[in-house]
Amino acid sequence: MPIVQVAFDLPLDRLFDYLAPEASAADVGLRTLAPFGSGQKVGVILSVVSESRWPEEQLRPVTAIWRDTPPLSQADLKLLHFCSTYYHHPLGAVTLNALPPGLRRIKGWSPPRRRRKCAEVEPVAAPTLTSEQQAAVASVLSGMDGFQPVLLHGITGSGKTEVYLRLIEQQVAAGRQVLVLAPEISLTPQLEQRFRQRLPGISMVSMHSGLGEKERAVRWLEAQNGEAAVVLGTRSAIFCPMPRLGLIVVDEEHDGSYKQQEGLRYSARDLALVRAQQLQIPAVLGSATPALESWWNVQAGRYRLLSLSDRAISGARLPSIRLVETSAAQAQDMSPVVLEALASRLARKEQSLVFVNRRGYAPVLFCPQCRWISGCSRCSARMVVHLRRHELRCHHCGLKHPIPQRCPDCGNTHLETLGSGTQKIEAALHSHFPSARILRLDSDTLTRREAWEETLKTIHAGEVDILVGTQLLVKGHDFPRITLVAALGVDQALYSSDFRSSERLFAQLVQVAGRAGRAADSGEVLIQTAFPGHPLFQSLLAHDYPGFAQRELEERRLTGFPPFAYQALLRASSENPAALEKFMQEAVEATPPRQHGLEIYDPVPPPLARLAGKARLQLLVQAPHRAQLQEFLSAWEARLHALAPRSVQWSLDVDPTEL
Amino acid sequence: MSRNELVLSGTIAAKETLRYTPAGLPLLQLVLSHQSEQSEAGAAFRAELEAVVLVLGEAATALDRQPLGTRISIKGFLARKSRNSRQLVIRTEQFKLFDGE
């Protein structure tokens, strides 16, 4: 009798056998409902065999094999297999998590009665390409058959999106599908709108966390049955089945949101390349500030580099960037230079943007009498002052309570805040410019996509004079009216112990600076810093990403950090610190014999040593070759499973991006 | 118990803008200018001083409405300005408008 081997979303690296009298090889990749323990579980059939290693009388029959949706294809399963092996995550968990939640329900799948409508858009004619854009398009098109990794390095405003659009048009005309990954599109409706305007008549679906469960599943199925020619999605869309996939585009490929930071800790950017290689199709990675790993891949001859070095709108020039030196204590507040620049924009009725990458009123509440500070009782972090709601909030575990009337240690009522968040800057702007229209944008003010769209309209209509916001505001938005950008409190990243922090700061500042003068007016960018001589700022002033990357890569080479080594991190946490330490010590002792060059560091607490009441430790493993690291991890992982007590949660993070 | 009580009268010589603590408590910092006749070693001595006063709570809001030069009397205690400071401030939640002697 046919036996199906089923993958479930379980932390176990094995499949489960069931009797399925009517099953055939064609059922591989289908969803199935099967008895599990005393209940039922939804799984995916990964193979159909004639014999089980268990006696047949011990096997139970499946409850149902669901044939109302098409099976995952061999190509889809191949990507999931790779993902499970490379990230050392159980295949069942990988497979089930690749499905949209709507297809994982025990009650089965039923299509929604009503569909979410897309807003009608007026088609927009294709602009004339610059010669660089033309060359880039032609270059990718010349190598469409076969795996071809391309890094499209274009300065902000150089028209990378237009290059994607031309490639998409060409691929769709040739009968193929295109997958476009973008960071956090639920907050960048502009990108989706632009695609729709420029690609009228092409069926496109967007996939992001802002969708309802059913809507998301329907779109996924449209991609799977080939109806949707273009999928525009965030990280998880990398797993979306697309039978005629001909091109993958990863926009803002350096963006941190491509890496999932919990559960299956995959990088959608890296998986895009794996998928493109498996399917033998091109992959285009676009960025103004590529990840150093990608830049190094160009230098090592693995990726082809295409550059766009001019702004696409004729007349638009790069903004002039000026550093405003402030003392370290004052770098978070607006200096007189910044205030004066804001005043002059107000007088000229132009828009300005003040960038403060910190939400809330102030990052710390403290007592000047006894130096008490507002620490979180559950995390090794400080609670942030949110003045509007009269709360202290921990941005790590979500704990909140009212702002204390008095210092819990000495009773002093005269408590003060230290540092500045968006709310404090907003308040300062109101008192400096009482008649200005000031708008604060951060994840506290923008909780719904609809609210975001409304807000963007008022900004575009020129009904706002000064915008205050976090990085949320600068990711991929075009605000043509903005002629001044002021960045405050950026130095913190220079103190960080994470070797990637300067890379991130550079990318962020280029992104921030790119908001100024995207239309014909050239913009001005002011950056407040206590370290104007820092080489990072010098590269920024010169709009010199290659120079910055060269220097950073040299440093990484000297220190032996990625991309010159491959890393994996064992992360563990527990409410029981003693059990945690014991586990980590045993993990070190249990490391399998290893080849020369592989390094194992000591267990250390991460920057956030306690999170939500749990103690945390991590252990870094580093190897000069990917294969060597993988071989080591496979052997080690098996031992870790045996070692870990119930009280300790652990996971392996391959190619970690945050240490 | 250690004692720390202080009554002082004088005129408001300077006033900062009314502020609020993060918990919403009104707070006003002012300078009180004081002159009095004291007796010292059997002779009269004219004492003069200017003191920084930190007024908290309702009293802060009420005092904020008083113009400079208003004569007031406060009752409070002394504390250092901050952990690292050797400067003293008078902290109070009570005051009286003070006419005549």
Side-chain angles (χ1 to χ4, degrees):
Chain A
M1 186 184 283
I3 288 157
V4 290
Q5 299 191 304
V6 181
F8 293 111
D9 184 7
L10 292 171
L12 297 171
D13 207 2
R14 54 166 288 206
L15 302 179
F16 294 82
D17 293 2
Y18 288 91
L19 301 174
E22 298 153 47
S24 73
D27 293 333
V28 169
L30 281 176
R31 288 145 57 241
T32 178
L33 184 68
F36 194 91
S38 58
Q40 299 276 323
K41 263 191 182 301
V42 174
V44 171
I45 299 173
L46 290 190
S47 62
V48 179
V49 294
S50 53
E51 259 176 71
S52 170
R53 48 191 276 243
W54 313 101
E56 207 164 281
E57 58 275 17
Q58 282 183 17
L59 298 184
R60 295 198 270 180
V62 291
T63 310
I65 293 177
W66 282 326
R67 295 188 171 86
D68 56 342
T69 67
L72 293 172
S73 68
Q74 283 304 323
D76 300 330
L77 294 174
K78 193 172 165 191
L79 180 67
L80 299 177
H81 262 285
F82 171 85
C83 199
S84 167
T85 314
Y86 185 79
Y87 291 108
H88 299 268
H89 201 72
L91 182 59
V94 170
T95 308
L96 271 292
N97 279 303
L99 297 179
L103 295 179
R104 280 186 246 153
R105 299 284 170 235
I106 287 190
K107 58 184 192 286
W109 165 245
S110 60
R113 262 173 252 124
R114 279 191 327 167
R115 291 290 308 273
R116 175 159 158 170
K117 283 209 198 91
C118 290
E120 293 288 317
V121 290
E122 284 290 307
V124 170
T128 315
L129 293 184
T130 64
S131 54
E132 281 183 327
Q133 284 173 319
Q134 269 172 13
V137 171
S139 170
V140 178
L141 289 182
S142 69
M144 268 334 216
D145 33 310
F147 175 53
Q148 181 200 182
V150 172
L151 180 66
L152 181 63
H153 173 230
I155 60 165
T156 52
S158 61
K160 292 185 287 289
T161 310
E162 193 53 39
V163 173
Y164 309 150
L165 288 165
R166 297 298 167 101
L167 295 172
I168 293 167
E169 272 178 330
Q170 192 277 342
Q171 283 293 288
V172 173
R176 296 194 196 98
Q177 290 175 296
V178 180
L179 172 60
V180 182
L181 297 181
E184 298 171 45
I185 6 172
S186 67
L187 293 173
T188 49
Q190 279 174 320
L191 184 68
E192 185 179 346
Q193 193 191 358
R194 179 137 170 236
F195 270 60
R196 292 197 188 279
Q197 287 173 330
R198 280 280 290 103
L199 303 170
I202 290 183
S203 67
M204 183 174 101
V205 293
S206 64
M207 278 193 223
H208 52 77
S209 55
L211 298 173
E213 189 176 294
K214 293 241 166 178
E215 183 60 35
R216 192 170 175 155
V218 172
R219 294 185 184 188
W220 196 87
L221 290 168
E222 282 173 352
Q224 191 185 22
N225 68 24
E227 255 174 76
V230 178
V231 171
L232 175 61
T234 43
R235 180 175 67 217
S236 64
I238 187 61
F239 297 114
C240 184
M242 298 175 74
R244 305 190 314 274
L245 189 59
L247 168 70
I248 305 178
V249 173
V250 184
D251 190 27
E252 307 291 351
E253 63 93 26
H254 64 280
D255 195 275
S257 73
Y258 286 124
K259 170 90 177 171
Q260 177 144 302
Q261 299 292 5
E262 56 183 21
L264 170 62
R265 293 170 177 263
Y266 66 98
S267 155
R269 192 250 340 260
D270 295 350
L271 285 181
L273 288 153
V274 171
R275 191 169 178 185
Q277 186 165 33
Q278 288 180 344
L279 297 172
Q280 289 296 302
I281 59 171
V284 175
L285 311 179
S287 177
T289 49
L292 287 179
E293 282 83 354
S294 304
W295 195 249
W296 172 243
N297 275 326
V298 167
Q299 301 198 340
R302 287 186 287 266
Y303 296 177
R304 201 142 53 85
L305 177 69
L306 299 175
S307 297
L308 304 177
S309 49
D310 292 323
R311 283 201 153 181
I313 298 171
S314 62
R317 280 172 297 150
L318 282 169
S320 65
I321 304 178
R322 201 144 61 90
L323 300 175
V324 180
E325 185 169 1
T326 45
S327 70
Q330 282 163 351
Q332 294 187 22
D333 296 317
M334 288 178 288
S335 63
V337 178
V338 165
L339 288 171
E340 207 171 291
L342 287 167
S344 79
R345 291 318 188 287
L346 277 173
R348 298 209 300 259
K349 301 201 181 317
E350 293 171 358
Q351 267 177 354
S352 312
L353 186 160
V354 180
F355 171 75
V356 192
N357 205 15
R358 216 180 227 159
R359 65 198 169 87
Y361 185 81
V364 190
L365 180 69
F366 98 119
C367 172
Q369 288 290 322
C370 73
R371 297 233 191 115
W372 167 86
I373 57 167
S374 54
C376 173
S377 56
R378 289 147 48 84
C379 307
S380 41
R382 286 155 184 190
M383 295 191 83
V384 177
V385 183
H386 284 252
L387 215 49
R388 285 280 168 79
R389 307 215 165 212
H390 308 287
E391 277 175 350
L392 288 181
R393 278 191 221 162
C394 174
H395 285 183
H396 298 283
C397 74
L399 185 72
K400 43 181 134 176
H401 50 73
I403 297 175
Q405 287 279 344
R406 51 189 65 249
C407 170
D409 283 1
C410 75
N412 176 25
T413 46
H414 184 196
L415 300 178
E416 287 182 1
T417 60
L418 278 183
S420 297
T422 46
Q423 292 180 12
K424 196 190 252 186
I425 297 297
E426 180 192 17
L429 284 167
H430 275 297
S431 77
H432 282 292
F433 307 111
S435 60
R437 295 164 302 175
I438 295 159
L439 183 69
R440 172 167 64 91
L441 286 173
D442 53 37
S443 55
D444 294 323
T445 62
L446 291 172
T447 43
R448 291 177 315 121
R449 179 184 165 102
E450 290 74 22
W452 199 193
E453 286 175 30
E454 276 309 303
T455 306
L456 288 175
K457 266 184 213 148
T458 61
I459 300 172
H460 286 286
E463 289 160 21
V464 176
D465 300 315
I466 304 176
L467 286 161
V468 189
T470 56
Q471 50 146 359
L472 198 72
L473 189 56
V474 299
K475 270 195 181 173
H477 296 292
D478 280 352
F479 298 119
R481 289 168 183 267
I482 288 178
T483 60
L484 171 72
V485 173
L488 314 179
V490 303
D491 288 344
Q492 219 195 355
L494 299 174
Y495 302 115
S496 168
S497 61
D498 188 332
F499 68 88
R500 281 193 178 85
S501 72
S502 53
E503 179 183 358
R504 274 189 223 116
L505 178 62
F506 189 83
Q508 188 173 65
L509 290 177
V510 166
Q511 186 90 244
V512 169
R515 295 317 102 194
R518 280 175 86 95
D521 285 326
S522 95
E524 186 182 21
V525 179
L526 300 176
I527 296 172
Q528 282 191 188
T529 175
F531 309 102
H534 197 288
L536 182 146
F537 292 123
Q538 296 311 316
S539 297
L540 191 72
L541 293 185
H543 300 281
D544 182 19
Y545 168 81
F548 169 77
Q550 204 50 49
R551 206 175 44 243
E552 282 291 307
L553 281 173
E554 203 40 54
E555 245 174 60
R556 300 268 185 101
R557 188 199 305 274
L558 289 171
T559 49
F561 276 136
F564 301 98
Y566 296 91
Q567 296 182 328
L569 197 64
L570 171 64
R571 299 174 186 274
S573 66
S574 175
E575 276 165 11
N576 178 346
L580 177 67
E581 268 195 38
K582 180 163 173 279
F583 167 70
M584 284 307 248
Q585 210 41 57
E586 287 171 353
V588 174
E589 285 155 17
T591 47
R594 51 190 180 268
Q595 291 174 28
H596 178 72
L598 192 134
E599 286 175 277
I600 295 164
Y601 290 77
D602 289 330
V604 290
L608 206 57
R610 250 165 68 80
L611 178 64
K614 286 183 178 176
R616 313 200 306 160
L617 284 174
Q618 61 186 29
L619 197 165
L620 184 68
V621 180
Q622 192 169 296
H625 305 290
R626 226 187 262 278
Q628 191 183 341
L629 180 66
Q630 283 293 331
E631 193 184 319
F632 170 86
L633 290 177
S634 299
W636 195 33
E637 190 202 356
R639 300 180 185 195
L640 292 176
H641 276 291
L643 277 179
R646 263 175 193 280
S647 60
V648 173
Q649 290 81 49
W650 64 277
S651 65
L652 282 175
D653 187 352
V654 181
D655 305 329
T657 54
E658 273 164 45
L659 294 185
Chain B
M1 189 185 151
S2 315
R3 296 189 71 177
N4 182 353
E5 291 168 43
L6 191 128
V7 176
L8 189 72
S9 65
T11 58
I12 303 174
K15 217 168 46 168
E16 288 191 354
T17 46
L18 184 74
R19 291 186 296 146
Y20 294 87
T21 68
L25 192 73
L27 179 139
L28 183 70
Q29 191 166 308
L30 54 81
V31 175
L32 196 65
S33 175
H34 166 92
Q35 273 186 24
S36 59
E37 291 290 325
Q38 305 287 339
S39 111
E40 197 173 59
F45 167 70
R46 196 169 78 221
E48 286 185 4
L49 67 95
E50 297 201 317
V52 177
V53 182
L54 184 67
V55 192
L56 288 149
E58 296 291 301
T61 325
L63 267 178
D64 187 45
R65 289 193 287 267
Q66 302 299 328
L68 294 183
T70 306
R71 283 183 64 77
I72 57 170
S73 166
I74 58 164
K75 183 171 182 232
F77 59 87
L78 285 170
R80 64 182 168 210
K81 189 162 185 251
S82 69
R83 174 81 177 230
N84 279 352
S85 172
R86 305 190 68 178
Q87 199 186 330
L88 294 177
V89 293
I90 304 168
R91 298 171 62 124
T92 179
E93 293 177 293
Q94 292 176 41
F95 79 100
K96 274 197 291 210
L97 288 179
F98 192 76
D99 302 311
E101 299 302 306

